[in-house]
Amino acid sequence: MPHRLETESRKLLGRLREALAADSEGQARLDAVVDLIADSMGTAVCSIYLFRDAETLELCATKGLQAEAVHQTRMRLGEGLVGRTAKSRTVINTADAPSSKGFRYMPETGEERFSSFCGVPIQRLGDVLGVLVVQSKDAREYTPDEVYALEIVAMVIAEMTELGAFVGEGAALSARHQQPVMLRGSIAQEGASEGVVYLHEPRVVVTNPISDDPEKERIRLVEAITQLRSGIDDMLLGARTVDKDQAQVLETYRMFANSSSWLRRMEADVGNGLSAEAAVEKEQSLARARLSKSKDAYLRERLSDLDDLSNRLLRILTGQGADAQSDMPENAILVARNIGPGELLEYGKKLKGIVLEDGSVGSHATIVARAWAIPLIINAKGVTREALNGDPILVDGDQGIAHLRPDETVHAAFRDKIAMYTRAQERYASIRNLPATTKCGTTVSLQMNAGLIADLPSLAGSGAEGVGLFRTELQFLIRNQMPRRAELSALYSRVLKAADGKRVAFRTLDIGSDKVLPYMKPNDEPNPAMGWRAIRVGLDKPGVLRMQLQALLRAANGEPLDVMFPFITQIGEFRAARAEMEKAIARETKLGHPLPNVLKVGAMLETPSLAFAPDAFFEEVDFISIGGNDLKQFFFAADRENERVRKRYDTLDISFLSFLEKVVQRCAAFGTPLSFCGEDAGRPVEALCFAALGLHTLSMRPASIGPVKHLLRRVDLTDVKAVMDEAIANGEQSVRRAVADWLVYQV
Ligand code: PEP
Ligand code: MG
């Protein structure tokens, strides 16, 4: 960077600081900024465009274009050279704007008189807030040094925009992060809650983007980098002794932290008048822009390492977010891009709600949130950009909507909803210890799904008769190494103890599909849901299955034990899995360990094929549990993780129901106990129809037991069956409408 320009851009930043510090309205500040940039750079035009909403840019200040165009001229993201600059997040620098791709003539601005154009995105941490533009009459490209100076200025404008420096009366600009926002996502766990935003990764607020003492800032930067490096060295020292893989990751990380070019670039930014924090953010923004475009997995990984390091560095420099967990508010609603089950477990049940920018219904974090009945919304696009720590937020898990900074009307309506919800909970609590006996005298056994020790207290709280599905893979997923047999057996015995004599159906490890163990070699399959998963892995590589079966036998310690195998598709698989159990029994016997006094070995019916297995299967298996989540996806050929197709097919579709009825009949013919443990069992209308078909054991999330029991106790299943049969006779595709209409007059 030539010395002359260093001083030039420093001078420019010095003037900018004065303009920003002046005690004036937002619009006046913005006007002063464009004036002085045009003046300093000797260009005819300088304009600032800011986003009005996610898709629209608005001319907010200009020197050189017609003043009437301010707050009138708007363009969509991607439209014109300005829109293209914002969309591509890169500088567009051209000597001949009118003949450039995408040029849009805007008569109100008088723009056609200008030949050269340079647009620089105003971005903060990869989030584009607007575009800074300079234009001149002569046909010339701006020099790299001039572009660099503009980038520095754009960086400062971004910070000041974020801080609300350009907001005010007459400015026609509303502050970001002050308006109410409604975010629509997908439902992952129902329920309503009210609280304040608690960001998983809090945004660092930089209040001093410009410095007047570059040397002081350089020293701050170097000191922070030194602290960062020594922190990583300490982590590495710890990791080397316990975890080789983690150490390897940290080595790469350290390499980045020690990168001299990274430091050099930031030192140059500081030399040009940015504060140390602003310099870190400037480099971070550039890295994020590259990250969003790169398709190369390796490069993406490295860029996200750099992103993470920048965050750490910012936290060191600002002292913000150093102790995130301890200042978690009481009514925290967690807002994050995504979260792993381990991290969620660390936050614990204290959370009142969760809103994720990404996430999926079948993810482990979702399973954990469901087990805890914490309202959860996923796919809420924009939430991490819009939300600030401490913002009021309402989570409507039933509709998949989050209201950020809600106004009073929304708030009042929501409070009514919470009150209704609380009344319903009280109603369910009053029938907690009563059986789910219908008016026709059928008692349906309602059990709960679990996967963590922390779920077990719900057994008493929900009134469940037992655990119909214990997903053992959660214990494997939340660790960073394979658990040992002794650990597992201690854990299973704690589960059995907590169940206090109630039944627990342990399902052996169901990995593969979306459940990938962090410490196992990933298996690159084109379609993992139909790939090498669950019992297929267990039988091909039986080491873990054997270890798990032995741990289970030991945990039972002479008491009853129920074990089921996931994803059994044919009798042969069941026999092979059962043979593993026989071997485990033989080993335990040889070691002189006590065996369960009653052992039941079951299979999960999750693929249509098993319903057509030979009679012998139904005779040999001790019980069958229908895994409706998987069964439904294979029955309708509709991916359970794909929100678009998942909802197309109704569980109460008569084809699916008649299939279930066939399974009920085959089990009845052989006296094989049958249950249903997919998510649908917890939906009251579905539960009712299943019970009417003869499915008298249903396992669901603990929070669903109350509503399901409440409904079952109020109906006669023969009536329900008659309504279903009539809908079928009428040629309906689904019985849902008929049953729902009928229910209106019953309950
Ligand atoms: C199912 O598929 O319905 C089931 C209970 O198993 P999981 O959701 O864990 O695949
Ligand atoms: Mg399944």
Side-chain angles (χ1 to χ4, degrees):
M1 187 69 36
H3 179 68
R4 189 191 61 76
L5 199 94
E6 275 190 23
T7 25
E8 278 306 305
S9 64
R10 205 150 71 215
K11 250 198 263 161
L12 175 57
L13 283 189
R15 289 178 65 191
L16 200 56
R17 187 183 29 210
E18 274 167 34
L20 292 170
D23 187 19
S24 46
E25 282 294 335
Q27 183 67 46
R29 280 206 186 115
L30 213 48
D31 293 341
V33 170
V34 287
D35 270 1
L36 78 87
I37 297 173
D39 182 44
S40 298
M41 295 192 59
T43 59
V45 175
C46 175
S47 313
I48 291 176
Y49 297 79
L50 294 174
F51 273 102
R52 173 140 275 282
D53 56 49
E55 289 291 314
T56 322
L57 282 153
E58 179 176 302
L59 176 65
C60 287
T62 185
K63 165 77 192 287
L65 296 182
Q66 282 169 22
E68 303 80 67
V70 171
H71 298 306
Q72 300 303 321
T73 293
R74 291 184 185 170
M75 64 219 35
R76 296 186 67 71
L77 182 65
E79 185 188 4
L81 293 181
V82 175
R84 271 183 57 212
T85 306
K87 187 162 188 189
S88 66
R89 299 180 181 191
T90 42
V91 174
I92 295 186
N93 183 7
T94 166
D96 184 8
S99 52
S100 296
K101 182 176 158 234
F103 176 79
R104 205 198 87 181
Y105 171 53
M106 289 176 291
E108 70 275 23
T109 63
E111 168 170 63
E112 85 280 22
R113 292 182 282 123
F114 303 104
S115 181
S116 62
F117 172 101
C118 182
V120 177
I122 298 174
Q123 54 184 331
R124 187 177 182 273
L125 304 183
D127 183 10
V128 182
L129 309 177
V131 180
L132 170 66
V133 175
V134 289
Q135 292 170 281
S136 332
K137 280 188 185 154
D138 48 337
R140 67 165 185 115
E141 268 196 22
Y142 291 87
T143 65
D145 292 343
E146 284 173 316
V147 173
Y148 175 81
L150 284 170
E151 279 178 332
I152 294 264
V153 173
M155 165 81 219
V156 173
I157 296 174
E159 290 302 334
M160 301 313 288
T161 308
E162 181 81 6
L163 287 175
F166 306 126
V167 176
E169 286 293 307
L173 265 185
S174 50
R176 271 176 75 97
H177 303 132
Q178 286 180 17
Q179 301 283 72
V181 182
M182 188 184 95
L183 297 142
R184 203 175 277 282
S186 319
I187 305 164
Q189 163 65 34
E190 295 85 354
S193 62
E194 174 183 356
V196 294
V197 168
Y198 182 65
L199 290 169
H200 179 46
E201 286 178 330
R203 297 165 87 93
V204 173
V205 183
V206 176
T207 47
N208 59 337
I210 310 174
S211 91
D212 55 358
D213 187 347
E215 185 50 22
K216 190 171 131 217
E217 290 303 300
R218 200 190 61 77
I219 293 171
R220 285 184 65 226
L221 180 68
V222 171
E223 280 176 0
I225 285 262
T226 311
Q227 193 179 331
L228 174 79
R229 287 174 181 166
S230 86
I232 295 172
D233 285 346
D234 288 349
M235 270 161 38
L236 193 57
L237 215 62
R240 270 200 195 116
T241 48
V242 289
D243 186 340
K244 278 216 178 76
D245 286 346
Q246 202 194 342
Q248 221 164 21
V249 172
L250 283 170
E251 293 279 7
T252 332
Y253 211 62
R254 184 167 69 159
M255 201 180 75
F256 266 103
N258 288 340
S259 149
S260 53
S261 61
W262 184 41
L263 179 59
R264 229 182 303 119
R265 281 196 306 275
M266 291 190 289
E267 281 183 321
D269 296 335
V270 162
N272 282 303
L274 287 187
S275 66
E277 292 88 336
V280 177
E281 279 202 1
K282 180 169 170 287
E283 292 309 312
Q284 193 177 12
S285 285
L286 293 178
R288 282 201 182 172
R290 281 173 64 202
L291 183 69
S292 70
K293 285 189 205 117
S294 168
K295 294 213 164 51
D296 177 338
Y298 177 79
L299 190 64
R300 289 180 61 81
E301 193 86 349
R302 298 290 74 85
L303 285 169
S304 70
D305 279 353
L306 190 61
D307 194 59
D308 201 36
L309 281 173
S310 307
N311 281 335
R312 282 169 193 262
L313 200 50
L314 280 173
R315 272 186 233 127
I316 295 173
L317 281 164
T318 60
Q320 292 169 27
D323 196 9
Q325 290 269 357
S326 67
D327 51 20
M328 185 162 123
E330 227 175 65
N331 49 352
I333 308 266
L334 188 77
V335 171
R337 177 158 288 285
N338 213 341
I339 190 160
E343 292 165 311
L344 190 52
L345 288 167
E346 267 176 41
Y347 284 116
K349 284 185 177 181
K350 300 182 292 278
L351 295 171
K352 287 272 176 297
I354 306 169
V355 185
L356 301 180
E357 182 114 18
D358 299 334
S360 86
V361 193
S363 80
H364 321 118
T366 302
I367 291 173
V368 172
R370 281 182 163 172
W372 288 345
I374 299 176
L376 166 65
I377 298 175
I378 55 169
N379 294 328
K381 293 297 170 213
V383 69
T384 53
R385 201 176 53 222
E386 292 290 350
L388 289 184
N389 257 341
D391 275 348
I393 185 169
L394 310 174
V395 179
D396 184 343
D398 299 337
Q399 315 245 11
I401 294 174
H403 301 274
L404 192 59
R405 303 179 287 268
D407 58 31
E408 198 32 53
T409 351
V410 173
H411 221 140
F414 202 80
R415 288 214 175 100
D416 289 348
K417 190 175 175 124
I418 292 186
M420 243 169 65
Y421 190 75
T422 314
R423 279 199 298 278
Q425 292 304 320
E426 284 163 7
R427 234 183 2 251
Y428 304 146
S430 69
I431 55 168
R432 185 170 46 218
N433 298 320
L434 301 177
T437 305
T438 61
K439 279 192 179 158
C440 54
T442 309
T443 298
V444 180
S445 171
L446 301 183
Q447 310 199 358
M448 66 173 243
N449 295 346
L452 300 165
I453 266 283
D455 300 338
L456 270 299
S458 304
L459 201 45
S462 65
E465 284 178 33
V467 178
L469 164 68
F470 190 92
R471 290 181 164 102
T472 59
E473 59 277 4
L474 285 192
Q475 300 298 336
F476 287 73
L477 286 163
I478 57 178
R479 286 158 202 251
N480 45 21
Q481 61 195 46
M482 182 75 79
R484 294 173 207 286
R485 186 175 51 206
E487 272 176 85
L488 281 184
S489 122
L491 182 111
Y492 298 149
S493 100
R494 270 164 56 215
V495 171
L496 288 167
K497 204 156 162 231
D500 196 22
K502 288 183 174 162
R503 167 190 194 239
V504 180
F506 288 97
R507 170 179 77 189
T508 62
L509 200 56
D510 180 5
I511 48 159
S513 189
D514 71 316
K515 299 168 191 157
V516 183
L517 298 185
Y519 41 87
M520 267 172 87
K521 211 166 116 234
N523 203 20
D524 199 9
E525 292 182 302
N527 195 342
M530 292 201 262
W532 197 54
R533 57 172 289 199
I535 198 64
R536 298 172 182 174
V537 180
L539 294 177
D540 291 357
K541 293 244 183 266
V544 180
L545 179 65
R546 286 176 186 162
M547 185 259 285
Q548 202 184 13
L549 291 177
Q550 257 184 299
L552 284 164
L553 290 169
R554 267 180 220 184
N557 195 26
E559 300 292 318
L561 177 69
D562 283 30
V563 177
M564 59 186 181
F565 297 110
F567 217 65
I568 298 285
T569 49
Q570 14 173 249
I571 186 171
E573 271 171 355
F574 178 70
R575 285 178 174 159
R578 186 164 201 148
E580 288 299 338
M581 177 61 100
E582 298 305 333
K583 281 188 222 158
I585 291 174
R587 271 194 299 273
E588 287 298 282
T589 313
K590 210 160 141 196
L591 291 169
H593 293 154
L595 295 177
N597 53 4
V598 187
L599 173 66
K600 294 200 182 120
V601 182
M604 283 189 73
L605 192 152
E606 304 189 86
T607 57
S609 68
L610 195 64
F612 303 93
D615 290 349
F617 166 70
F618 292 87
E619 283 165 354
E620 290 170 26
V621 72
D622 294 330
F623 65 95
I624 293 175
S625 189
I626 298 176
N629 306 335
D630 274 313
L631 179 64
K632 199 178 150 196
Q633 78 167 335
F634 297 118
F635 190 81
F636 289 111
D639 186 348
R640 67 191 262 190
E641 291 274 316
N642 180 338
E643 291 298 308
R644 196 174 200 171
V645 297
R646 186 180 71 85
K647 292 193 204 125
R648 273 177 109 94
Y649 305 100
D650 191 353
T651 305
L652 300 185
D653 181 292
I654 63 122
S655 314
F656 191 59
L657 291 182
S658 70
F659 177 82
L660 291 182
E661 197 168 20
K662 176 171 177 69
V663 179
V664 170
Q665 285 160 0
R666 288 206 76 188
C667 286
F670 298 96
T672 314
L674 175 66
S675 63
F676 188 108
C677 67
E679 292 298 309
D680 287 319
R683 303 199 165 94
V685 178
E686 277 82 338
L688 204 62
C689 296
F690 293 167
L693 290 182
L695 271 159
H696 294 160
T697 301
L698 303 174
S699 190
M700 60 197 72
R701 289 180 255 158
S704 301
I705 291 181
V708 168
K709 191 192 282 185
H710 178 73
L711 189 57
L712 282 172
R713 286 174 57 85
R714 301 168 78 131
V715 296
D716 184 322
L717 291 178
T718 37
D719 292 345
V720 180
K721 185 71 167 67
V723 174
M724 291 165 72
D725 287 343
E726 195 186 326
I728 295 169
N730 289 341
E732 307 262 340
Q733 184 167 288
S734 159
V735 303
R736 183 174 303 277
R737 236 212 9 235
V739 174
D741 286 352
W742 174 81
L743 272 175
V744 172
Y745 298 102
Q746 303 303 310
V747 290

